Amino acid sequence: MENLSTNKTSLISTNSLELDDDNLNSFYIGTKTDPPINKNMIDELEIQAQGISNELETMLRNLQSQMFEASVLTTASFDVYKQTIENHCIAINNATEKSKELIQLCSRIDKGFSHIQTLASQIKSIRHQVDALHTALGK
């Protein structure tokens, strides 16, 4: 226990703060054998740290703004993509419906032409008969 109290005393004396009598802008941390710390240098470091902090804050705000803008543009591009897909689906459905209508129309025309083909066969048959009659009369 005595050893522990001796260590506490040495820590307290080592970390004491003493002013430099020769220079009022310097002070010692610890013993006088350590180099003095210049108060002006610390003030300058604080000013520079504040400047860096301000620049970092400005950069982070700019980054946040750019990220927000990128998010808005990404959302807009997804909306455009979605609308494009919907329009494409509508166009495909319309083309499919028109194709079905064309097939049905062709089927009706084909049925209509089947009667015409029968009629054409009959007309050919009559023509052959007329030609045969004409040939028989002409001889």
Side-chain angles (χ1 to χ4, degrees), residues 7-129:
N7 285 342
K8 284 184 181 178
T9 309
S10 68
L11 284 175
I12 293 172
S13 65
T14 304
N15 290 332
S16 63
L17 183 66
E18 299 178 29
L19 289 174
D20 186 3
D21 297 332
D22 299 334
N23 188 355
L24 294 178
N25 286 333
S26 298
F27 58 92
Y28 290 93
I29 295 181
T31 63
K32 283 208 173 205
T33 58
D34 294 332
I37 297 175
N38 188 336
K39 186 177 180 322
N40 292 335
M41 285 175 50
I42 291 181
D43 291 342
E44 180 63 31
L45 278 174
E46 285 180 5
I47 291 170
Q48 289 178 3
Q50 185 65 35
I52 290 171
S53 173
N54 290 340
E55 287 180 25
L56 181 61
E57 183 180 358
T58 301
M59 283 180 12
L60 289 176
R61 281 190 181 144
N62 286 340
L63 181 61
Q64 181 182 16
S65 173
Q66 290 174 0
M67 293 298 290
F68 179 76
E69 185 177 344
S71 174
V72 167
L73 291 174
T74 301
T75 302
S77 73
F78 281 132
D79 290 342
V80 167
Y81 179 76
K82 179 183 172 192
Q83 188 63 42
T84 301
I85 294 299
E86 288 174 358
N87 290 344
H88 187 72
C89 288
I90 289 170
I92 288 174
N93 286 338
N94 288 341
T96 303
E97 288 298 319
K98 295 296 181 187
S99 295
K100 285 180 184 178
E101 289 176 14
L102 180 61
I103 290 170
Q104 289 172 354
L105 180 63
C106 288
S107 180
R108 280 184 282 175
I109 290 172
D110 189 45
K111 285 179 184 176
F113 276 127
S114 69
H115 297 297
I116 293 175
Q117 288 175 350
T118 305
L119 184 60
S121 275
Q122 290 172 354
I123 292 173
K124 280 184 181 179
S125 175
I126 293 171
R127 183 164 183 200
H128 285 309
Q129 290 174 2

